[in-house]
Amino acid sequence: MRRQTEGWTRAGLFTRGFGPEVRAGGPNMVLVHGLGLSGRYFVPLARRLAAGGASVLVPDLPGNVRSRSAARRAPGVGELAGALRRWHRELALGPSLLVANSVGCQVVAAFAARDPALVERVVLLGPALEPGVTGLRQCGRLMADAPREPLGLLAVAATDYLVTGPLRFAASFRHALRDAAESFEKQLARIEVPALVVRGSGDTVASRDWTRRLAGIVGDGRVAQVGGAAHAAHYSSPDAVADLIEKFMVGGRG
């Protein structure tokens, strides 16, 4: 089957495709990025999953980087989930494995809670943000994580943040903090499909206790850890994360 390698735009969202071309209603994986970023830092994982035969789609959420013009202002978490739903339905995708990192986990939780028929399984990588933790402390955790990440990731993130813009980033951060305090865990409790919560062993953003707590909220949740990785384990250890996802897809415990 033809392999997708170039980006394209549907429902206002710039999207990268990897692996076999997605057939309407066919099996697929959707990777959802974190705050202020684009899908670029998911490319190593997307390529590894595609090498295993998966059809992988990586959209830039509205207001971010190559989908920046899709929103006039920074959307809230619920608005991002709604935009992802419209994109998903326009592509006529079947039930998807949703893989998200950081604040993207909040978007996926809202999406899965509202549209369970569109979700096969959920993978949460380094989920953020933890309720009850101040915005200042959350920023401190992110800064502490930076020296633990590969230089390549820092370059990608810095460029993406500049394109998204500091004002939009700040507004998006406020939206995400509000969602974490009011909605995130409630949305997770509504998810009935199997969920895998993954953290890097050196992640300063998503603690071991927090990830275990989230896995316990989901009806069928489990946890896994990637040794030697930090918050963006999917970038620094794509093979290890892909192995966990592939085992999870066939019912393994990760």
Side-chain angles (χ1 to χ4, degrees):
M1 300 181 65
R2 180 170 63 87
R3 302 182 72 82
Q4 300 176 9
T5 56
E6 298 182 359
W8 34 271
T9 300
R10 290 290 293 273
L13 303 188
F14 178 83
T15 304
R16 297 166 179 85
F18 302 84
E21 185 174 6
V22 180
R23 302 182 306 276
N28 65 88
M29 300 182 181
V30 176
L31 313 187
V32 181
H33 63 78
L35 190 71
L37 295 165
S38 72
R40 287 199 301 157
Y41 77 145
F42 264 124
V43 169
L45 177 62
R47 287 176 173 161
R48 169 59 180 77
L49 292 169
S55 296
V56 185
L57 298 175
V58 191
D60 284 9
L61 295 175
N64 294 272
V65 193
R66 298 190 70 172
S67 296
R68 192 179 190 279
S69 62
R72 293 184 178 180
R73 56 178 177 76
V77 170
E79 293 173 300
L80 293 173
L84 189 64
R85 176 182 181 273
R86 290 189 294 274
W87 169 87
H88 194 283
R89 290 190 176 275
E90 183 165 322
L91 289 173
L93 301 178
S96 300
L97 168 71
L98 300 179
V99 181
N101 171 243
S102 198
V103 171
C105 297
Q106 296 176 222
V107 177
V108 161
F111 178 97
R114 296 176 188 178
D115 293 279
L118 302 181
V119 183
E120 182 178 359
R121 292 184 176 224
V122 170
V123 178
L124 307 178
L125 306 171
L129 301 159
E130 186 174 348
V133 178
T134 65
L136 185 60
R137 188 177 174 192
Q138 299 279 13
C139 288
R141 289 181 174 185
L142 184 60
M143 294 297 292
D145 183 79
R148 304 174 182 225
E149 302 287 1
L151 290 177
L153 173 66
L154 299 182
V156 168
T159 302
D160 284 355
Y161 289 148
L162 285 173
V163 175
T164 296
L167 295 179
R168 285 200 179 199
F169 180 88
S172 296
F173 186 51
R174 290 194 296 271
H175 291 320
L177 285 171
R178 186 179 303 111
D179 178 81
E182 300 174 357
S183 305
F184 185 28
E185 291 176 281
K186 295 177 182 177
Q187 304 284 26
L188 285 174
R190 295 171 56 189
I191 297 176
E192 297 181 357
V193 299
L196 175 65
V197 185
V198 181
R199 73 178 293 269
S201 61
D203 190 347
T204 62
V205 178
S207 69
R208 185 194 302 267
D209 289 344
W210 168 236
T211 54
R212 290 186 178 278
R213 173 178 164 183
L214 292 184
I217 292 173
V218 180
D220 183 7
R222 60 206 73 175
V223 295
Q225 185 164 275
V226 179
H231 189 52
H234 58 282
Y235 185 93
S236 60
S237 302
D239 290 339
V241 173
D243 286 343
L244 288 171
I245 291 173
E246 289 166 349
K247 291 177 182 177
F248 176 58
M249 283 298 291
V250 296
R253 297 295 295 183

